[in-house]
Amino acid sequence: MKLATYKNDSRDGQLMLVSRDLKLTCSAAPVVKTMQQLLDNWDELFEPLNERYQALCSGELLAEKFDAQKCHSPLPRAYHWADGSAYVNHVELVRRARGAEVPESFWHDPLMYQGGSDDFIGPYDDIEVPDESMGIDFEAEIAVVTADVPMGTADDHAGNFIKLLMLVNDVSLRGLIPGELAKGFGFYQSKPASSFAPVAVTPDELGDSWFDSKVHLALLTHYNNELFGKPNAGVDMTFNFNLLVAHAARTRNLGAGTIIGSGTVSNKQGTDHGSAIVHGGVGYSCIAEVRMIETIRDGQPSTAFMSNGDTVRIEMADNDGSSIFGAIEQRVKIKK
Amino acid sequence: MKLATYKNDSRDGQLMLVSRDLKLTCSAAPVVKTMQQLLDNWDELFEPLNERYQALCSGELLAEKFDAQKCHSPLPRAYHWADGSAYVNHVELVRRARGAEVPESFWHDPLMYQGGSDDFIGPYDDIEVPDESMGIDFEAEIAVVTADVPMGTADDHAGNFIKLLMLVNDVSLRGLIPGELAKGFGFYQSKPASSFAPVAVTPDELGDSWFDSKVHLALLTHYNNELFGKPNAGVDMTFNFNLLVAHAARTRNLGAGTIIGSGTVSNKQGTDHGSAIVHGGVGYSCIAEVRMIETIRDGQPSTAFMSNGDTVRIEMADNDGSSIFGAIEQRVKIKK
């Protein structure tokens, strides 16, 4: 099943069904009005909604053309958004660039922080930041959305609670991170509003590309209209989504609609730290990694962070080249 | 205005008006059904709801006896719960006990972490923890609830957005904190579900005790039925709520219903680090502070953290001795 949320005059928008090929859409309203209501009542609503979805895909329903520009993030606001760092290559790069080792524990105990979820922005909305000097960066990631997960759920059961997959742009303000991490309480101001690709999909929509609780497809990032990264999200993912969900639920229940992110997708591809598209590599899912490579190689970074007007596009295609989630397409706008 | 949420068969409960003396209650449903709906539409709903509240307090409405045992936390789930550490004495104690100084920046740049808000527990619900050895502790705090706060709101305007005040028990698992902080991403597993006192109140309900964006009243904590702390929440609060809200909104909008906490209330009272009730002091709002005093004095802590069956009661009385928010009364229950 594929789902989107059209913006309307309410905070939570209007839940829409979207055909598998992303061409057609119809309201989910005869069954359920919002994405959160669906997640709150997944078991009761899934079958009737799926019937409507199958009818949409087979052309039996009166449908309109799907317009991604009308979309908010699938959950315009959520009760819980926790982001892991499952691609330890990304963490290793960050640390190596500042001369620090990766502690051995990082390979079996996931890093996870909780991000703002009360004010997500839409996939085509501007990235508004108060100051260009804050080190504006994108981070292309995968995320899952869960049903209610009981405290103490083991990773081998966690998969039962994963209902949807999404793409995320976890915008980071790199200039604020060192100060915040030095304070010891983790990220807060350094993580402004995240956005998500227009369409959330049930795992079965990925077919054979979803196994071992990972998405085995390339995550495509274009920066200012040039291909910047195409790492495979199934490669070098040290902690799969089952492990991330279990980590999140160790000491708490997770409420329906909890979003758990993978962290920045990053592949080593047999090299020390991956390599750029221009050097024949799979590239990167954030600017910071390029800067770290440059720092390791040249002693200092040469690629700048994002400036006013810079754009980022994040998307994922299936094995036939068709977009699965639609695209995140955002522009940086400095808010005076 | 005083508001509570009665548990019912929905996730968000039933919004109730509670009389000033906490004796009577009536449903808010003729105006609004849930606390989140009220916060989403505060400007339009405040007046009609306040009319109903005044009628309740003056005995003009058919009302029932208020039963705090029926209450969930005022917001059973929220889109944003960020907790500051406004009482730097608390931070100083933590640091001094491990031989570290408080960085100078801590006196002008608040510490803040984001906590789980998808699964709050009620004021009388058990504190369920998977393992007694995790170092279970209470933290008695004040919190404010905001309307929508635009990004970049300055502290001298932030007060306009503070709609409600609450009491919090920000339960902490002390044994998990050092490991999590060492990873650099802040608290996550070390902060299980928080609970809030049954009644949320508009700031005017505090009369002269609410000024300079602080609550100038003692916060009373009883541990296993003995008075453990009575620090004044208006004393030694380095960052008032206006500053905490402005800090939270520096790089993001805050959605309606954002909860911002004060951190553990802690008074020095002219001593180095405050002192216990038995020594004539105002005591403490968490066990960790006592253990830190003991560590500084004796080289090691002697007071244990909470065990299965231990109870905590958190409450605040006005200058006439009447409870303002009702009480948080919880018992630790180890979940096998």
Side-chain angles (χ1 to χ4, degrees):
Chain A
M1 194 156 58
K2 295 197 174 191
L3 296 154
T5 295
Y6 268 8
K7 292 180 178 181
N8 62 11
D9 58 359
S10 76
R11 291 173 183 266
D12 298 302
Q14 165 63 54
L15 186 62
M16 305 297 288
L17 285 162
V18 184
S19 61
R20 189 161 292 124
D21 60 8
L22 307 186
K23 289 188 178 159
L24 295 174
T25 188
C26 68
S27 168
V31 179
V32 56
K33 286 186 185 168
T34 72
M35 181 67 95
Q36 185 62 48
Q37 285 170 11
L38 170 59
L39 290 156
D40 283 350
N41 304 283
W42 185 271
D43 288 344
E44 302 93 279
L45 297 178
F46 177 79
E47 271 312 321
L49 198 60
N50 194 39
E51 273 176 35
R52 195 167 159 80
Y53 173 65
Q54 300 302 339
L56 172 70
C57 291
S58 62
E60 293 160 45
L61 272 191
L62 190 66
E64 55 181 297
K65 190 169 173 295
F66 175 60
D67 183 357
Q69 302 271 352
K70 291 184 180 170
C71 285
H72 208 304
S73 283
L75 277 165
R77 54 181 177 173
Y79 294 103
H80 194 165
W81 153 228
D83 199 10
S85 275
Y87 299 87
V88 181
N89 183 45
H90 172 76
V91 181
E92 218 175 15
L93 260 178
V94 180
R95 298 222 156 207
R96 182 145 168 222
R98 62 170 201 251
E101 293 295 308
V102 171
E104 199 276 325
S105 69
F106 280 26
W107 296 97
H108 54 79
D109 182 28
L111 292 171
M112 188 170 278
Y113 86 94
Q114 186 165 345
S117 56
D118 51 332
D119 184 57
F120 291 140
I121 53 179
Y124 288 82
D125 290 348
D126 289 337
I127 299 167
E128 293 196 350
V129 175
D131 187 338
E132 207 166 64
S133 73
M134 286 179 171
I136 306 159
D137 199 359
F138 50 85
E139 290 192 7
E141 310 186 0
I142 320 277
V144 298
V145 187
T146 74
D148 293 301
V149 182
M151 190 194 315
T153 294
D155 66 282
D156 53 356
H157 285 92
N160 301 330
F161 304 104
I162 294 175
K163 299 305 179 190
L164 294 169
L165 291 157
M166 304 194 294
L167 303 186
V168 194
N169 182 13
D170 179 47
V171 177
S172 293
L173 302 176
R174 302 288 181 193
L176 303 186
I177 289 179
E180 287 207 310
L181 295 197
K183 285 157 71 181
F185 273 33
F187 309 107
Y188 191 83
Q189 293 180 333
S190 51
K191 293 286 186 176
S194 300
S195 62
F196 296 81
V199 180
V201 312
T202 48
D204 61 289
E205 294 287 347
L206 272 65
D208 294 345
S209 300
W210 171 252
F211 63 89
D212 188 27
S213 199
K214 300 175 186 177
V215 178
H216 296 265
L217 289 167
L219 182 61
L220 309 173
T221 300
H222 286 78
Y223 180 39
N224 289 332
N225 302 312
E226 285 190 17
L227 184 63
F228 189 83
K230 54 174 183 177
N232 188 305
V235 173
D236 292 334
M237 190 185 194
T238 304
F239 307 103
N240 66 16
F241 282 109
N242 287 353
L243 284 161
L244 294 176
V245 169
H247 181 86
R250 183 177 174 215
T251 59
R252 59 175 81 178
N253 304 310
L254 308 182
T258 290
I259 303 169
I260 304 284
S262 66
T264 307
V265 176
S266 182
N267 290 171
K268 298 178 86 159
Q269 297 282 332
T271 67
D272 272 359
H273 299 293
S275 62
I277 297 283
V278 292
H279 299 127
V282 296
Y284 302 100
S285 302
C286 67
I287 296 173
E289 290 198 7
V290 174
R291 290 169 56 90
M292 290 160 198
I293 299 278
E294 291 164 351
T295 301
I296 292 167
R297 189 187 60 206
D298 310 327
Q300 60 181 30
S302 45
T303 303
F305 287 120
M306 298 177 92
S307 299
N308 194 42
D310 282 341
T311 63
V312 62
R313 177 183 170 94
I314 297 168
E315 200 165 13
M316 178 173 271
D318 64 18
N319 289 322
D320 298 327
S322 304
S323 180
I324 298 170
F325 304 90
I328 297 171
E329 276 196 52
Q330 298 187 279
R331 181 180 299 272
V332 169
K333 185 179 173 187
I334 302 305
K335 198 186 168 192
K336 305 290 174 195
Chain B
M1 195 156 59
K2 295 198 174 190
L3 296 152
T5 294
Y6 268 9
K7 293 180 179 180
N8 62 11
D9 58 0
S10 75
R11 290 173 184 265
D12 299 300
Q14 166 62 52
L15 186 63
M16 305 296 289
L17 286 161
V18 183
S19 62
R20 188 161 292 123
D21 60 8
L22 306 187
K23 289 188 176 157
L24 295 174
T25 188
C26 68
S27 169
V31 179
V32 56
K33 284 185 185 169
T34 72
M35 181 66 97
Q36 184 62 47
Q37 285 170 11
L38 170 59
L39 290 156
D40 283 349
N41 305 282
W42 185 271
D43 288 345
E44 302 93 280
L45 298 176
F46 177 78
E47 271 312 319
L49 198 60
N50 193 39
E51 273 176 36
R52 195 167 160 79
Y53 173 66
Q54 299 302 338
L56 172 70
C57 291
S58 63
E60 293 161 45
L61 271 191
L62 190 66
E64 54 182 297
K65 189 168 175 295
F66 174 61
D67 183 357
Q69 301 272 353
K70 291 183 180 173
C71 286
H72 208 303
S73 283
L75 277 165
R77 55 181 178 173
Y79 294 102
H80 194 164
W81 153 228
D83 198 11
S85 274
Y87 299 86
V88 182
N89 183 46
H90 172 74
V91 181
E92 216 174 17
L93 259 178
V94 179
R95 297 224 156 206
R96 181 145 169 224
R98 61 170 200 251
E101 292 296 308
V102 171
E104 199 276 326
S105 69
F106 280 25
W107 296 97
H108 53 79
D109 181 29
L111 291 171
M112 188 170 278
Y113 85 94
Q114 186 165 346
S117 57
D118 51 332
D119 185 57
F120 292 141
I121 53 179
Y124 287 82
D125 291 346
D126 289 335
I127 299 167
E128 292 196 351
V129 176
D131 186 339
E132 205 165 67
S133 72
M134 286 180 170
I136 306 158
D137 199 359
F138 50 85
E139 291 192 7
E141 311 186 0
I142 320 279
V144 298
V145 187
T146 74
D148 292 301
V149 183
M151 191 195 316
T153 294
D155 66 280
D156 53 356
H157 284 93
N160 301 330
F161 303 104
I162 294 175
K163 300 304 177 190
L164 294 168
L165 291 157
M166 304 194 293
L167 304 185
V168 196
N169 182 12
D170 179 45
V171 176
S172 294
L173 302 177
R174 303 288 182 194
L176 303 187
I177 289 179
E180 287 207 309
L181 296 197
K183 285 158 68 180
F185 272 33
F187 309 107
Y188 190 84
Q189 293 180 335
S190 51
K191 293 287 187 174
S194 300
S195 61
F196 297 81
V199 180
V201 313
T202 49
D204 60 289
E205 293 288 348
L206 271 65
D208 295 344
S209 300
W210 171 251
F211 63 90
D212 187 25
S213 198
K214 299 175 186 177
V215 177
H216 295 265
L217 289 168
L219 182 61
L220 309 173
T221 300
H222 286 79
Y223 180 39
N224 289 331
N225 302 313
E226 285 192 16
L227 185 63
F228 190 83
K230 54 174 183 176
N232 188 306
V235 172
D236 293 333
M237 190 186 192
T238 304
F239 307 102
N240 66 17
F241 281 109
N242 287 353
L243 284 161
L244 294 176
V245 170
H247 180 87
R250 183 177 174 216
T251 59
R252 58 175 81 178
N253 304 309
L254 308 182
T258 290
I259 304 169
I260 304 283
S262 67
T264 308
V265 176
S266 182
N267 290 171
K268 298 177 84 154
Q269 297 280 333
T271 66
D272 273 356
H273 300 291
S275 62
I277 297 281
V278 291
H279 299 127
V282 296
Y284 301 99
S285 302
C286 67
I287 296 173
E289 290 198 6
V290 174
R291 290 170 55 92
M292 291 159 199
I293 299 279
E294 291 165 350
T295 301
I296 293 166
R297 190 188 59 207
D298 310 326
Q300 60 181 32
S302 45
T303 302
F305 287 120
M306 297 177 91
S307 299
N308 194 42
D310 281 342
T311 63
V312 60
R313 179 184 169 94
I314 298 168
E315 199 166 14
M316 179 174 270
D318 64 19
N319 290 320
D320 297 327
S322 303
S323 180
I324 298 170
F325 303 90
I328 296 169
E329 276 195 52
Q330 297 186 279
R331 181 181 299 272
V332 169
K333 185 180 173 185
I334 303 305
K335 197 185 169 196
K336 305 293 173 192

